[in-house]
Amino acid sequence: MENIKITRAATLKEKPDSSTLVFGKNMTDHMFLVDYDEGQGWHDPRIVPYGPLQIDPAAKVLHYAEEIFEGLKAYRTADGSIQLFRIKDNIDRMNKSAERLCLPQIPEELAMAGIMELVKVEQDWVPSEKDTSLYIRPFMIGLDAALGVHSSKHVQYIVVVCPVGAYYPEGLNPVKIYVEDQDVRAVKGGTGMAKTGGNYAASLRAGDRAEKAGYSQVLWLDGVHRKYIEEVGSMNVMFKVAGKILTPDLNGSVLDGITRRSCIQLLKDWGYEVEERRISAEELFEAAENGTLEEAWGTGTAAVVSPIGELAMGDKKVTVSGGKIGPITQKLYDELTGIQWGRVADPHNWITKL
Ligand code: COI
């Protein structure tokens, strides 16, 4: 692998107060870039001052959403060191998304070096306030400047980072979720399992409607039957029903969330039965009505483990766990964040030290 060339910013930004961070708004001083050209492969890895990209207005990414991304975090531990969570899983998933979008595979070593070196350069930006971290956003864009619909031969992989607090303004307080019955996010055979911008563009209208009605996000139903639940805007979902954990299976239109995987592993470690299967919205509302829906929560890198306190569908509304965080949701949050911030042991080797 070529050496990463580092050009330092002439002036550094003032760092934000870490007790009032808003998710994704405070970008740091530098970013990582590497180019890909067909026939040449990946070349010119570099860290440069953070700033606008120069993109040809005809670039494919701007017209045909030839884009994929990832989200992961770096955590400041009690002894002041910095560590990352499941970085290789993120890179592996990025390459799966790349395959779906006809973008080039990026060698793990290069993708990882870009992330690690950038976090090293920006280490003073990794906050130490409770529940804060440095969010890492690697992404890949197709840059061929031509309006024909074809995959790009010139591509960039870029990494930007920003200190973050809780994703939802509610913090660990339960969020209200609306079951979306008009728009769909993805269908099997589409791009639902890929982490690509287009899936999120398709989600904006329903998200806006839900926000106007007082909900944090929507719970998507499958695109074919409009019956089975899939995922929420920025997280996977799990439910505790009559003592068992239920979560939608990875049917091709649900994102293979890394926090989802981690929670399933922890729940199994604790002896819970976890059913990954088709779950209809009707089944959930019935469970809520007959008192067996004990807890609901979302999982995601940004959202971590977020309790769901209310579910609504049409004119039906149910409160989950008395509108409070349930005990398993709390335990998962504590264990997962304990591993991430180095407060508890890491039995599955999920941590990489900077
Ligand atoms: C993440 O959790 O890292 C995500 O990528 C979700 C994002 C859309 C905020």
Side-chain angles (χ1 to χ4, degrees):
M1 200 189 88
E2 272 176 84
N3 282 337
I4 298 174
K5 190 175 164 218
I6 302 179
T7 310
R8 301 242 169 209
T11 54
L12 300 182
K13 297 173 187 165
E14 199 177 315
K15 303 208 176 30
D17 173 357
S18 39
S19 60
T20 56
L21 289 169
V22 177
F23 182 86
K25 284 218 168 150
N26 303 93
M27 308 316 293
T28 65
D29 296 306
H30 300 88
M31 59 187 180
F32 172 83
L33 290 100
V34 60
D35 287 277
Y36 172 91
D37 285 279
E38 197 175 75
Q40 190 181 358
W42 293 97
H43 61 94
D44 293 313
R46 57 205 184 272
I47 288 174
V48 296
Y50 183 92
L53 302 172
Q54 258 216 334
I55 294 187
D56 190 295
K60 308 271 190 216
V61 61
L62 299 179
H63 302 272
Y64 308 125
E66 198 185 10
E67 189 265 2
I68 55 172
F69 69 96
E70 277 300 319
L72 68 157
K73 285 174 173 170
Y75 306 85
R76 174 86 63 191
T77 64
D79 67 6
S81 64
I82 295 169
Q83 57 187 33
L84 288 89
F85 184 72
R86 304 195 76 166
I87 177 169
K88 289 191 178 175
D89 295 273
N90 281 96
I91 295 168
D92 181 58
R93 188 174 61 183
M94 179 168 241
N95 275 326
K96 290 202 174 98
S97 301
E99 196 276 324
R100 180 63 184 85
L101 274 280
C102 293
L103 284 159
Q105 296 291 297
I106 181 158
E108 182 184 279
E109 188 196 5
L110 172 61
M112 185 149 164
I115 293 171
M116 298 300 262
E117 288 310 309
L118 181 64
V119 175
K120 263 185 212 157
V121 167
E122 302 295 53
Q123 54 185 287
D124 291 348
W125 282 88
V126 182
S128 47
E129 187 106 355
K130 186 166 184 307
D131 296 333
T132 63
S133 54
L134 188 76
Y135 186 76
I136 303 167
R137 172 53 62 87
F139 61 106
M140 202 188 280
I141 49 180
L143 288 172
D144 281 15
L147 296 181
V149 182
H150 304 284
S151 60
S152 286
K153 315 285 178 241
H154 174 52
V155 168
Q156 268 182 345
Y157 167 78
I158 305 172
V159 186
V160 295
V161 295
C162 55
V164 295
Y167 183 72
Y168 294 111
E170 289 91 333
L172 240 202
N173 291 322
V175 291
K176 290 161 66 174
I177 301 289
Y178 187 80
V179 180
E180 173 61 26
D181 50 8
Q182 294 175 51
D183 294 352
V184 295
R185 171 188 170 273
V187 290
K188 214 168 287 180
T191 56
M193 45 61 70
K195 207 153 171 63
T196 180
N199 292 341
Y200 295 81
S203 80
L204 294 175
R205 183 168 69 174
D208 277 3
R209 266 197 309 255
E211 269 177 35
K212 282 196 190 104
Y215 293 88
S216 298
Q217 285 190 353
V218 302
L219 175 54
W220 295 107
L221 294 178
D222 76 282
V224 177
H225 309 91
R226 308 279 190 106
K227 206 172 151 184
Y228 301 102
I229 58 158
E230 300 222 310
E231 64 183 73
V232 168
S234 65
M235 50 192 196
N236 295 106
V237 273
M238 298 187 179
F239 304 89
K240 181 161 173 268
V241 179
K244 260 195 282 194
I245 312 299
L246 308 184
T247 192
D249 57 336
L250 301 177
N251 61 359
S253 52
V254 171
L255 185 80
D256 180 5
I258 290 164
T259 313
R260 174 188 181 278
R261 270 187 238 166
S262 310
C263 287
I264 292 174
Q265 181 66 59
L266 293 175
L267 289 158
K268 287 187 174 165
D269 291 351
W270 297 334
Y272 282 98
E273 197 178 324
V274 182
E275 281 184 9
E276 294 178 61
R277 64 163 170 86
R278 257 179 16 173
I279 305 161
S280 68
E282 212 182 319
E283 176 183 347
L284 281 184
F285 279 79
E286 264 172 35
E289 276 150 25
N290 69 26
T292 53
L293 176 60
E294 294 157 8
E295 292 184 44
W297 65 89
T299 64
T301 298
V304 195
V305 173
S306 285
I308 298 173
E310 183 181 313
L311 281 172
M313 182 169 65
D315 48 18
K316 275 194 220 163
K317 246 185 215 175
V318 294
T319 300
V320 189
S321 199
K324 299 199 175 70
I325 183 164
I328 292 303
T329 313
Q330 182 75 58
K331 187 171 173 191
L332 268 178
Y333 180 86
D334 291 343
E335 188 69 13
L336 187 71
T337 56
I339 296 171
Q340 290 169 334
W341 271 274
R343 294 187 291 262
V344 305
D346 168 31
H348 300 288
N349 279 322
W350 288 335
I351 294 297
T352 305
K353 290 271 181 198
L354 189 64

